[in-house]
Each structure stands twice: as C-alpha cells, then as structure tokens.
Amino acid sequence: MVRVTPGDLGTAAHVVAVLAFDGVQLLDVTGPVEVLTTANAYGARYDVRLVSVTGADIRTSASVRIGVDGSWDEVPGRLGTLLVPGRREWRHVVADDGLVAAAADLAGRAGRVASVCAGAFLLAEVGALDDRRAATHWQLARELAAAYPRVTVETDPLFVRDGNVITSAGVTSGIDLALALVEEDHGPDLARDVARELVVFMARPGGQSQFSARLTPRDATHLVVRRVMNLVGADPAAGRDLDALARGAGVSTRHLSRLFRAQTGMTVGQYVESVRIEAARALLESGSDTVDAVAEEAGFGSAESMRRAFQQTLGVSPTAYRARFRTTGRAADG
C-alpha cells in the first residue's frame, strides 16, 4: 500500500471548512477531520480548516479546547465543502446571530454542505435544508421536524444525501459521512484504505434504529390508551390481540383503534410489537438465554418471527444485535 502526502500531488486542494463553536460535540469535529486528513495520506488533497466566528479557539462539550485556523471570513471565496458539527443544546446555536450569519455565508459559497448530528439545526436555520430530506440524532428528530416543518426528517439512516447537502445522525456517524465524502471524491478503494487504517466500518450495518426503537410512541394522556399500554407493558408475552385489549379496556375495537392512533401515532399492533422488541432487546443485552427462548419470553412465539421484526424495525438480526450491544463486562470475564 503506497502512502503519499498532499505535497506530492499537483491537483488543487479541496478546501473543507469546519465551523466550530463553543459547546460543540468534540467527536462531531474530530471524527470527520481524522477521516479527511487520513485520506490525504492515501492520495486525497483536503485542505481542512477549522474556523470559528471570531477566530478565537473554542471549548467543546467535553471541556476540551480546540485551536482554530482563523475566523470564518478568512476562508477562500469558494470552498469545496462546509462541515457543520452540532451541539445538543441546539437552541443556543440557532440563537447566535453571528454563528447563523457565518453558516449562511459559508453554505452559500460551498460546493457541498454537510452536517453532523445536531448540526442539522444550524443548516435548517439558514434554509439549507428547506424542501430537502435530512437526518439528525434519533433523539432530536422530532424536534428538528417540529422546529423546521419544511425539512423532511428521516429517523433511521446514518446519513442522508439530498442533492449537494448531506446530513448525518448521532456523533460517530460523522465518521460514516466523512468516509462517504471521501468515496465520492476519490472512489471506494481509497475510502476503504482510510476505513482500514482507522479500524472502522466502511459501511456500518443497520441504521439508527438499532440504537433506539423506530416505533417510539408519543406520550398518551387518554386513560383508555394508558390502560392498554400498561396491560401490554406488564406482560408483553401474553395474548394481546385487538379484541382482547379492547375488552380489557371496556371499549369497542374500532374506538380503541381510533384512540390509539390519535394518541400514540401508531396502531395497537405496532405498539405491541414495539414493546416486544424492547423486551427482547433487554433480554439479548443482559441475559444468556438462547434466541429461541428470548423469542418465546418476549412474546414473538418463534425465533423466525422475532428475526423478521428485528430486521424490519432495527435493520439487524437478533444474533447480530446481541453481539453488538451485549455488555463488554461479560466478554472480558470470558
């Protein structure tokens, strides 16, 4: 494998501006930067510039101070990529007039715009996500959709591309996004070299839903709906067809169906399956029962039924889920 330095190449550098600010998630910045600078060792030519609004160094969410290369207005008139990291307290970010102005100007001058995690809120604030599909951390997806109704928020993908705008999910997905940018610019072989060196997935299996159930119900206030939810949660493995639940709640099946969808955003059957998936996940993470035993205990009836539910909802099989999320303490003891 031949490694080269940027100075060995004659092509013009691709300028990447990373807009940093106080409170930013540390890995939102360092993950993509590590990918891009590692790519330079294999033939890429990224000129990565960390910039802030004033040119002053910034302090991250982890209280680590990061030095920047200057202020945002020192970036060349035309740049290849703008990368916007995020801060979980996104309202502080979009209320910063200087930061919003910097993001708007840089986005307008960039051939490609990308965000990591809550960085999508800043892009949405400057209109870069209007009428586009976008991703953010699964815990923030509803907030992004509510605050910026012109954005179509996709909750499962690790990153979403819509034209020249790429948005990614939670913190480490910035690495996935950066690898995708490298692949787009220099092809899969170079991107694969970078992934091998950094010991990360070239294409990570599954989506965000493997970290949280995709079918998460809205809070329910109606007493009938709460009663049904409590019945299901008390014993996910019990027979929970619509007729039985309606009888237990003292209402008709039609009335229960209407109430449940209005209150939770899902059908009764979807809710029952989501509770069973959560029960199975807990058993797979902490126990040693076989997949067949977990399927029976969680109410799926068979391992095949549970496998289909996991694949459809989480994007991984129960066996793969257990391998990925089981406590590291057990593995170390073994």
Side-chain angles (χ1 to χ4, degrees):
M1 186 178 299
V2 178
R3 294 169 61 95
V4 298
T5 63
D8 297 330
L9 301 171
T11 57
H14 180 114
V15 178
V16 179
V18 181
L19 183 57
F21 46 87
D22 283 334
V24 70
Q25 293 270 18
L26 176 62
L27 197 55
D28 280 14
V29 176
T30 57
V33 168
E34 190 69 33
V35 170
L36 297 174
T37 54
T38 299
N40 284 343
Y42 291 96
R45 191 171 172 83
Y46 293 110
D47 178 3
V48 181
R49 305 188 187 189
L50 269 65
V51 298
S52 64
V53 172
T54 64
D57 295 349
I58 59 97
R59 188 174 292 278
T60 70
S61 61
S63 296
V64 175
R65 184 176 293 279
I66 294 181
V68 302
D69 299 307
S71 63
W72 66 271
D73 52 2
E74 296 173 6
V75 176
R78 187 68 179 166
L79 62 147
T81 301
L82 167 65
L83 180 65
V84 179
R87 174 181 174 179
R88 189 170 184 83
E89 299 84 5
W90 59 268
R91 290 179 179 82
H92 292 284
V93 176
V94 301
D96 185 330
D97 292 339
L99 186 57
V100 171
D105 181 86
L106 291 171
R109 297 195 275 124
R112 182 171 60 192
V113 178
S115 68
V116 182
C117 198
F121 286 88
L122 186 52
L123 289 187
E125 180 67 21
V126 303
L129 301 184
D130 285 355
D131 305 316
R132 294 184 186 272
R133 296 176 298 110
T136 190
H137 193 286
W138 60 268
Q139 290 181 321
L140 299 174
R142 287 182 181 172
E143 294 179 40
L144 180 61
Y148 301 96
R150 291 187 63 179
V151 182
T152 300
V153 181
E154 298 194 1
T155 57
D156 190 45
L158 294 173
F159 60 89
V160 170
R161 176 187 298 278
D162 192 328
N164 68 334
V165 179
I166 308 98
T167 50
S168 68
V171 182
T172 59
S173 65
I175 295 173
D176 301 87
L177 177 145
L179 281 170
L181 299 182
V182 171
E183 182 176 9
E184 176 182 308
D185 295 338
H186 300 284
D189 290 340
L190 193 149
R192 195 172 293 111
D193 287 337
V194 175
R196 288 195 187 103
E197 173 145 335
L198 298 181
V199 198
V200 295
F201 285 113
M202 175 68 171
R204 199 190 320 189
Q208 289 198 80
S209 53
Q210 62 188 296
F211 302 97
S212 175
R214 181 183 305 171
L215 295 175
T216 303
R218 295 196 296 262
D219 292 336
T221 57
H222 199 285
L223 291 178
V224 169
V225 176
R226 292 300 311 171
R227 187 179 306 133
V228 170
M229 294 174 79
N230 290 337
L231 282 171
V232 174
D235 186 5
R240 298 300 185 192
D241 61 40
L242 181 59
D243 288 339
L245 289 170
R247 285 195 302 271
V251 296
S252 70
T253 56
R254 177 175 294 184
H255 185 53
L256 178 60
S257 296
R258 288 175 178 171
L259 274 178
F260 213 90
R261 183 173 285 281
Q263 287 275 302
T264 69
M266 62 177 64
T267 68
V268 175
Q270 287 172 331
Y271 179 72
V272 171
E273 182 171 273
S274 74
V275 171
R276 288 173 175 170
I277 288 173
E278 288 300 299
R281 288 170 61 175
L283 292 168
L284 291 168
E285 290 171 12
S286 60
S288 57
D289 289 344
T290 66
V291 171
D292 288 308
V294 168
E296 183 175 352
E297 189 171 350
F300 284 101
S302 71
E304 178 57 25
S305 295
M306 184 169 73
R307 186 194 67 78
R308 286 197 299 269
F310 266 60
Q311 288 287 4
Q312 182 177 357
T313 306
L314 307 182
V316 293
S317 69
T319 301
Y321 182 89
R322 167 174 271 171
R324 196 165 300 153
F325 291 98
R326 190 163 181 172
T327 174
T328 56
R330 289 180 180 272
D333 292 341

